[in-house]
Amino acid sequence: MTTQVINPATAAVLATVEAADLAATDAAIERARRAAADWRSVAPGDRARLLRRFAEAVDADLEHLARLEVRNAGHTIGNARWEAGNVRDVLHYSAGLPERLLGSQIPVAGGVDITFCEPLGVVGVIVPWNFPMPIAAWGFAPALAAGNTVVLKPAELTPLTALRLGELAREAGLPDGVFQIVTGAGSVVGQRFVTHPAVRKVVFTGSTEVGKQIMAGCAAQVKRVTLELGGKSANIVFADADLERAAATAPYAVFDNAGQDCCARSRILVQRGVFDRFLELLEPAVQGVRVGDPADESTEMGPLISAAHRERVAGFLKSSTEVAFTGTCPDGPGFWFAPTVVLPGSPTDRVVTEEVFGPVVAVLPFEDEADAIRIANDTEYGLSGSLWTSDIGRALRVTRAVEAGNLSVNSHSSVRYSTPFGGFKQSGLGRELGPDAARAFTETKNVFIATE
């Protein structure tokens, strides 16, 4: 069986890819299981060298990977280059982890007690379509560093860069079976990661609904999971903020990648005294977002991923929705949607409470610090967010009070490969990236050696 891969900027067929069935998925998992014993026994320094060679192979292929993502996912060429570079950087960072998975020597009576970080075995990584390259690397790089083997399933809509990364891993010298790409349906390949007893951990990024199903399925085998799920992040703008800068940057915090980002600041909360002024500043910033051919160097936002997703996003805009203003987008083929700013009539409107995952942002007023915190936390999600203020005390108070895993003050940065990333509440479980990333793919083993 095969599936067609569509270019979202043109709606043209880009490639045809094999869709693995259950037998092919089981065969890949078995290869990973057989390879696991040898891979875990590779000396930490040698494992590190192989990961560095993988990173160098990605770097040498960076422009090709980026152009491939432009065609497959509709990402702008600037974003796609950053994403390929992030894979390289995560691999280089992870290459430093094998030699730093340190155990402990614990003082005890009658002997010596030591701990070890043991790899889990086979790890199944399920990657979404919104950021196919970096999210894949956030899972496979630290897992490999910790001595696990990895079977990775890319999203059905965006498999091409994952397949290329699999080729680059082989070219870099990773042994057979250590890192495999299996394309196919989530209901077949992804579900088999959940049910196969040889897969000891599942890493999933995607919708909260599917994440809950994976978590429930893994519970049957007490299987480890890392889940990075939905978001409804708030961008909080206080009256004492640099309003010009806050308004100028706000569109890129939500319209980047056409809003198809779980970290998108899709709720802008503005203190009432400066609400009207902020909207005045926001309008030209939104209308200035360049939407068009993602291969064009000047483009800042590309298309949505598919016709079905465009229809879903459009469903958030009802006849009763007050649209403050919009940007522009191309006509013709492709799954285009203009940047859109709405003024909700109620805090219970779907556009306020649900993840749109498209270029639609709701702007709401708040009264004071307590009100801003209340509104920001009034969601089942807790992934990311931003805060704009010139008061450092307020910045510390509010960031500690907002229930989210990744917050920025006077900026919109959420992800760095050297710092932990993950969500509160229904935005996920566990953390990726940062100095402890590899430990999430190990078990702690305690050994007591009697000396008396």
Side-chain angles (χ1 to χ4, degrees):
M1 183 181 295
T2 60
T3 58
Q4 290 184 329
V5 179
I6 306 297
N7 183 332
T10 65
V13 175
L14 183 61
T16 301
V17 174
E18 292 292 327
D21 59 11
L22 185 61
T25 305
D26 280 353
I29 294 170
E30 176 58 21
R31 287 192 295 272
R33 188 194 65 79
R34 290 199 304 267
D38 288 340
W39 180 244
R40 69 181 292 165
S41 67
V42 171
D46 292 334
R47 203 182 308 142
R49 276 186 281 276
L50 283 169
L51 291 176
R52 281 193 287 271
R53 283 167 57 181
F54 189 2
E56 289 158 3
V58 169
D59 191 50
D61 201 55
L62 192 147
E63 187 67 18
H64 173 247
L65 283 165
R67 296 285 175 182
L68 197 58
E69 203 71 290
V70 168
R71 296 194 301 274
N72 191 178
H75 291 193
T76 64
I77 183 60
N79 280 4
R81 287 179 182 133
W82 179 90
E83 291 156 18
N86 184 255
V87 175
R88 173 202 60 211
D89 294 343
V90 171
L91 278 165
H92 271 306
Y93 187 82
S94 296
L97 300 178
E99 295 170 291
R100 292 165 178 79
L101 275 174
L102 307 177
S104 301
Q105 184 271 311
I106 303 170
V108 294
V112 175
D113 198 273
I114 53 178
T115 65
F116 299 91
C117 297
E118 303 285 10
L120 299 171
V122 180
V123 174
V125 178
I126 303 172
V127 180
W129 49 258
N130 61 325
F131 289 105
M133 280 193 287
I135 291 177
W138 301 353
F140 72 69
L144 293 171
N148 302 279
T149 56
V150 173
V151 184
L152 184 144
K153 190 201 91 66
E156 294 162 73
L157 294 172
T158 55
L160 300 186
T161 49
L163 290 168
R164 180 58 183 154
L165 288 171
E167 294 171 353
L168 293 172
R170 289 193 296 275
E171 291 172 13
L174 267 70
D176 289 344
V178 168
F179 179 50
Q180 300 173 79
I181 312 299
V182 179
T183 55
S187 59
V188 178
V189 182
Q191 181 62 20
R192 193 56 177 144
F193 291 174
V194 173
T195 61
H196 198 298
V199 177
R200 296 312 309 148
K201 179 168 183 172
V202 175
V203 178
F204 171 79
T205 299
S207 73
T208 298
E209 178 184 4
V210 175
K212 290 177 181 178
Q213 295 170 5
I214 288 173
M215 188 175 180
C218 287
Q221 296 177 23
V222 197
K223 186 174 297 190
R224 277 63 177 153
V225 292
T226 294
L227 304 174
E228 199 272 277
L229 309 175
K232 194 66 182 174
S233 301
N235 178 11
I236 307 170
V237 182
F238 283 92
D240 66 347
D242 181 341
L243 293 183
E244 286 75 13
R245 186 166 168 235
T249 59
Y252 303 96
V254 64
F255 301 142
D256 187 58
N257 200 31
Q260 299 167 131
D261 182 354
C262 48
C263 289
R265 276 68 163 170
S266 57
R267 295 180 298 154
I268 304 178
L269 314 183
V270 184
Q271 197 157 16
R272 191 176 296 278
V274 295
F275 187 85
D276 292 341
R277 176 58 179 157
F278 182 84
L279 285 178
E280 290 174 1
L281 294 167
L282 181 63
E283 183 170 6
V286 169
Q287 293 173 344
V289 175
R290 298 186 185 95
V291 184
D293 179 2
D296 189 316
E297 298 282 350
S298 66
T299 296
E300 296 175 310
M301 185 182 118
L304 293 173
I305 189 64
S306 67
H309 187 58
R310 179 175 60 181
E311 183 177 350
R312 178 189 174 277
V313 171
F316 282 87
L317 303 179
K318 305 298 184 184
S319 59
S320 59
T321 303
E322 182 180 354
V323 176
F325 41 83
T326 67
T328 61
C329 69
D331 297 321
F335 311 125
W336 305 101
F337 200 99
T340 302
V341 177
V342 303
L343 303 177
S346 165
T348 60
D349 287 356
R350 283 184 67 221
V351 74
V352 178
T353 61
E354 297 181 25
E355 186 175 36
V356 178
F357 222 62
V360 178
V361 63
V363 187
L364 303 90
F366 68 85
E367 302 299 335
D368 54 21
E369 195 173 302
D371 196 35
I373 294 167
R374 179 189 62 79
I375 297 171
N377 288 340
D378 188 18
T379 172
E380 64 187 15
Y381 299 114
L383 185 58
S384 193
S386 297
L387 168 68
W388 293 80
T389 180
S390 60
D391 183 336
I392 188 64
R394 169 179 287 148
L396 290 171
R397 288 193 303 271
V398 175
T399 52
R400 293 298 301 273
V402 171
E403 297 167 343
N406 310 272
L407 293 164
S408 300
V409 177
N410 297 329
S411 74
H412 298 298
S413 175
S414 293
V415 182
R416 291 178 175 83
Y417 61 81
S418 56
T419 60
F421 177 77
F424 285 24
K425 299 189 285 189
Q426 294 192 37
S427 280
L429 184 68
R431 292 294 180 270
E432 297 178 293
L433 303 176
D436 296 326
R439 288 186 178 273
F441 295 94
T442 66
E443 294 279 22
T444 298
K445 177 179 288 182
N446 189 78
V447 177
F448 170 75
I449 304 171
T451 56
E452 296 179 1

